[in-house]
């Protein structure tokens, strides 16, 4: 496979939309279709199921993606490290992270980065989700590791490094605390705490309430929940890093997973930033 064929296949497998894939790669939708047809002729079976309403991977396409993605990421990471070492990386990289899971990954990546680039320092810094992107734009941090989507004008999002299920955090005395799982539709029946670190919604809001409890940080969110003032959608890692006797975490049975990864100002991309992202990819794969 040629490099452009690999990139088109992987992008379409992730986007499952020809138009979005073309925009992501800077090519036309027609070009994406042409590359996919060439690959399918070479493989001998369809890699994607295509209808007027949806695109999906076939079993063969899914297996090819699972086999190809780690290898391609490894090649990109190796080239990034080689290029960075060739440029003689120096200076300091300021890395922001949101939450304990992202912080753990950042520390692992920082240790790997320092071994390969002893002349370049890493300064990890925890930030709150509500102002995390402001920190990037104000040049307070160089790269942020947080929960996707993290987008906006002038920002570049890197690959997803971590994936986890969504959970619903409820008071220990709540009826949902006694069930094995909840559904997206159940969100209509709970009062959700309002916070700038709220995850992307997966369903319409619950009962209308002009006096919703408001929190600024995850710890404040959990304190309000423990006091019986609402519920909140969190990632599965919260059950490990933020266990509390007054809060119960109930898994969703039908909600899409959460993805965590890096984002940085496009105009401020540097060799040391690219090298750090490459090490973060390897650290995430090693921890999986």
């Amino acid at each position: 496979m040629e490099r452009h064929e690999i990139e088109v296949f992987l992008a379409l497998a992730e986007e499952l939309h020809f138009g979005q894939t073309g925009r992501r790669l800077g090519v036309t939708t027609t070009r994406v279709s042409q590359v996919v047809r060439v690959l399918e002729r070479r493989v001998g079976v369809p890699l994607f199921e295509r209808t007027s309403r949806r695109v999906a991977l076939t079993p063969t396409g899914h297996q090819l993606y699972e086999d190809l993605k780690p290898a391609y990421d490894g090649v990109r990471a190796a080239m990034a490290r080689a290029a960075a070492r060739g440029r003689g990386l120096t200076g300091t990289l300021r890395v922001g992270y949101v939450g304990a899971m992202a912080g753990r990954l950042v520390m692992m990546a920082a240790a790997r980065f320092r071994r390969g680039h002893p002349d370049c320092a890493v300064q990890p810094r925890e930030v709150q989700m509500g102002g995390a992107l402001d920190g990037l734009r104000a040049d307070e941090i160089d790269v942020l590791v947080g929960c996707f989507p993290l987008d906006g004008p002038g920002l570049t999002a890197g690959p997803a490094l971590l994936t986890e299920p969504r959970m619903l955090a409820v008071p220990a005395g709540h009826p949902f605390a006694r069930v094995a799982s909840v559904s997206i539709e159940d969100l209509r029946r709970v009062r959700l705490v309002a916070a700038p670190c709220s995850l992307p919604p997966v369903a319409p809001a619950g009962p209308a309430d002009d006096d919703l409890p408001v929190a600024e940080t995850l710890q404040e969110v959990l304190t309000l929940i423990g006091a019986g003032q609402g519920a909140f959608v969190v990632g599965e890692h919260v059950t490990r890093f933020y266990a509390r006797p007054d809060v119960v975490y109930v898994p969703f049975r039908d909600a899409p997973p959460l993805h965590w990864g890096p984002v940085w100002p496009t105009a401020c991309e540097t060799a040391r930033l690219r090298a750090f992202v490459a090490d973060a990819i390897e650290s995430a794969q090693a921890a999986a």
Side-chain angles (χ1 to χ4, degrees):
M1 295 176 68
E2 299 290 339
R3 175 179 173 178
H4 73 278
E5 293 175 331
I6 296 174
E7 291 176 342
V8 167
F9 171 75
L10 293 178
L12 183 57
E14 292 166 358
E15 300 289 346
L16 296 178
H17 189 284
F18 280 76
Q20 291 176 6
T21 298
R23 287 190 289 273
R24 172 172 162 178
L25 299 177
V27 300
T28 65
T29 302
T30 300
R31 179 58 178 161
V32 174
S33 299
Q34 290 172 343
V35 171
V36 171
R37 285 197 296 270
V38 168
L39 289 176
E40 290 180 329
R41 284 197 299 270
R42 188 176 304 161
V43 173
V45 295
L47 299 174
F48 296 92
E49 295 175 352
R50 308 189 272 288
T51 69
S52 60
R53 303 183 65 179
R54 65 187 292 268
V55 177
L57 283 165
T58 64
T60 300
H62 180 75
Q63 186 61 58
L64 180 60
Y65 177 82
E66 293 294 322
D67 292 341
L68 192 58
K69 185 65 163 62
Y72 183 63
D73 286 344
V75 170
R76 292 185 61 191
M79 289 300 296
R81 286 194 301 275
R85 290 183 179 119
R87 295 186 183 99
L89 289 180
T90 59
T92 299
L93 185 70
R94 301 163 300 171
V95 183
Y97 62 89
V98 180
M101 182 175 69
R104 180 172 177 267
L105 175 61
V106 165
M107 297 307 293
M108 292 170 58
R112 183 185 294 266
F113 181 83
R114 292 188 190 102
R115 290 194 296 270
H117 311 287
D119 294 330
C120 188
V122 177
Q123 289 183 349
R125 171 186 171 188
E126 183 178 18
V127 298
Q128 299 301 328
M129 194 62 239
L133 294 182
D134 293 338
L136 283 175
R137 297 189 177 100
D139 194 30
E140 297 172 354
I141 54 178
D142 300 307
V143 58
L144 169 71
V145 179
C147 186
F148 288 160
L150 292 168
D151 50 27
L155 296 179
T156 295
L161 303 176
L162 302 168
T163 300
E164 62 174 346
R166 298 182 196 234
M167 313 281 286
L168 183 63
V170 298
H174 194 280
F176 284 167
R178 299 187 292 275
V179 302
S181 63
V182 293
S183 71
I184 292 174
E185 288 300 316
D186 287 330
L187 289 177
R188 299 178 184 272
R189 301 162 50 195
V190 296
R191 188 169 181 249
L192 293 176
V193 174
C197 56
S198 298
L199 297 177
V202 292
D209 191 340
D210 293 332
D211 192 29
L212 288 174
V214 178
E216 294 297 324
T217 68
L218 180 59
Q219 290 291 3
E220 289 181 11
V221 168
L222 297 178
T223 298
L224 288 170
I225 294 172
Q229 296 189 31
F232 198 72
V233 179
V234 299
E236 186 270 340
H237 81 277
V238 175
T239 66
R240 304 191 306 275
F241 292 100
Y242 303 94
R244 294 177 57 117
D246 53 356
V247 176
V248 173
Y249 302 103
V250 187
F252 281 94
R253 56 180 174 269
D254 56 357
L258 295 170
H259 303 286
W260 295 71
V263 63
W264 59 88
T266 305
C268 299
E269 182 173 323
T270 62
R272 61 174 174 258
L273 190 153
R274 291 192 295 271
F276 178 83
V277 171
D279 284 329
I281 292 172
E282 289 199 359
S283 296
Q285 292 172 347

